[in-house]
Amino acid sequence: MQLDAIADSRRHDHRFDDGNPLAERNTRRAMWLTVVMMVVEISGGWWFNSMAVLADGWHMSSHALALGLAVFAYRCSRRYAADPRFAFGTWKIEILAGYTSAMALLAVAALMAFQSLQRLWSPAQIHYDQAIAIAVVGLAVNLLCAWWLHDSPGHAHHQHDHAPAAHGHDHGHSHGHSHGHDLNLRSAYLHVLADAATSVLAIIALLGGKLWGAAWLDPVMGLVGALLVTAWAWGLLRDSGRILLDAQMDAPVVQEVREVIEQGPWAARLADLHVWQVGRGKYAVSASVVSSDPTLDADTLRDALGIHEELVHVTLEMHHVH
């Protein structure tokens, strides 16, 4: 058996993410606006005795913290972009921030549920007109922040259209990859969206109490909001956790690598394969290939893998058997 190891880094600075300056700027604007509205809602909810508004205010406080964390992650990513200690760049700082934000969302959901159950058990008089006015202003602020964050790049799905490779191995196909998301931005967006949802629920509860005397709607809507926030937080926790743990061997790109190497016009099989994400929509590959074709080399396989532009760092180890 002959061993021929060839490594290819494509970009030798190993930085596979160019940042997201517009998202950072919009997240910073949303953070400061959220801080202002947080103070208004907490003060107003306490003063006018509305559990829904107070819960929304405390909920917003956690979101202000999460937005601040997202901004901090963007700044750290830029600051340490050239630091050689980061083997594949600083993108995972943003993923870590997203994971932390998801944990904060779960804590907020638990606090909302506890306070709502407490208010169900011990009802209190609510000043509906003032509370409704605060909730409406809070909703307007949340919608503005959501618009800022949703309009930033890195939030939408994208597609890769792969044309047939020049070496004759036809991989012409089109499929959708959703791995280009900015999870740091997504975490900030979900925090704001959760705030908007709880504001809507608070308005519904307060209107129900004012018009029909259904004071129980106020804490019940708090419980509904807690369930909604929990569902969003769990999705973000799952997606960011998979990236942090490199648990992505079920990603579509893994099967694409297998197809290129094992279904090409050559005799080759994978003895070992590792694929992990190193940037927004960017992956690294480390593979060991066994072949009985003495003319097949790592350069040929690397060129074949080039049809998948999401593969930015490819390391191949060739084993030739006679």
Side-chain angles (χ1 to χ4, degrees):
M1 177 180 291
Q2 179 183 0
L3 174 64
D4 176 22
I6 297 182
D8 168 42
S9 65
R10 299 286 178 89
R11 292 179 59 179
H12 298 289
D13 60 1
H14 287 188
R15 174 174 166 79
F16 303 121
D17 184 69
D18 296 324
N20 203 338
L22 179 58
E24 180 181 352
R25 182 169 65 251
N26 286 341
T27 303
R28 187 183 301 108
R29 295 195 316 189
M31 177 192 69
W32 288 117
L33 188 56
T34 300
V35 167
V36 172
M37 196 61 222
M38 170 198 74
V39 174
V40 172
E41 285 201 333
I42 291 177
S43 302
W46 178 81
W47 186 261
F48 300 120
N49 208 24
S50 169
M51 184 62 236
V53 173
L54 185 60
D56 193 33
W58 283 115
H59 186 198
M60 189 170 278
S61 71
S62 72
H63 297 331
L65 180 62
L67 290 170
L69 181 63
V71 172
F72 178 75
Y74 281 129
R75 294 189 65 177
C76 282
S77 294
R78 283 191 290 104
R79 178 176 180 181
Y80 296 105
D83 194 321
R85 292 177 298 175
F86 294 91
F88 290 99
T90 55
W91 173 70
K92 282 192 176 179
I93 293 177
E94 299 176 19
I95 303 303
L96 183 60
Y99 183 87
T100 306
S101 291
M103 296 296 292
L105 270 176
L106 288 176
V108 166
L111 178 61
M112 289 173 63
F114 174 77
Q115 291 179 329
S116 297
L117 289 172
Q118 191 177 44
R119 185 53 58 90
L120 265 177
W121 186 259
S122 302
Q125 184 182 3
I126 301 173
H127 300 275
Y128 288 107
D129 291 337
Q130 297 90 336
I132 289 172
I134 293 175
V136 168
V137 174
L139 176 60
V141 168
N142 291 326
L143 291 177
L144 176 59
C145 291
W147 180 71
W148 281 340
L149 297 176
H150 189 270
D151 195 46
S152 300
H155 197 83
H157 290 263
H158 64 281
Q159 285 193 333
H160 298 313
D161 298 319
H162 300 306
H167 49 72
H169 180 44
D170 189 352
H171 264 271
H173 58 284
S174 175
H175 53 83
H177 281 187
S178 60
H179 305 290
H181 279 171
D182 182 340
L183 286 182
N184 192 41
L185 178 64
R186 176 183 163 193
S187 69
Y189 178 71
L190 283 182
H191 274 273
V192 171
L193 200 62
D195 250 342
T198 52
S199 293
V200 171
L201 294 175
I203 293 170
I204 293 173
L206 292 168
L207 286 174
K210 175 181 170 62
L211 298 177
W212 303 298
W216 54 269
L217 273 174
D218 190 67
V220 166
M221 287 302 184
L223 290 173
V224 173
L227 291 175
L228 189 62
V229 171
T230 298
W232 287 338
W234 183 254
L236 179 59
L237 199 65
R238 180 190 63 238
D239 293 344
S240 56
R242 289 181 69 233
I243 294 176
L244 291 174
L245 295 173
D246 294 325
Q248 293 176 291
M249 288 301 290
D250 58 346
V253 69
V254 178
Q255 182 58 32
E256 291 165 1
V257 171
R258 291 186 183 277
E259 290 176 359
V260 169
I261 293 177
E262 296 186 336
Q263 299 180 18
W266 44 64
R269 64 176 177 86
L270 279 164
D272 191 32
L273 175 64
H274 301 277
V275 180
W276 65 100
Q277 195 168 355
V278 294
R280 277 189 286 274
K282 306 298 182 182
Y283 291 84
V285 175
S286 176
S288 178
V289 182
V290 177
S291 176
S292 58
D293 183 353
T295 64
L296 180 63
D297 58 19
D299 283 330
T300 300
L301 292 179
R302 190 175 63 245
D303 290 342
L305 289 170
I307 65 171
H308 297 292
E309 69 274 14
E310 62 269 35
L311 302 179
V312 294
H313 184 95
V314 178
T315 301
L316 298 175
E317 184 179 79
M318 293 295 303
H319 295 269
H320 288 103
V321 294
H322 302 290

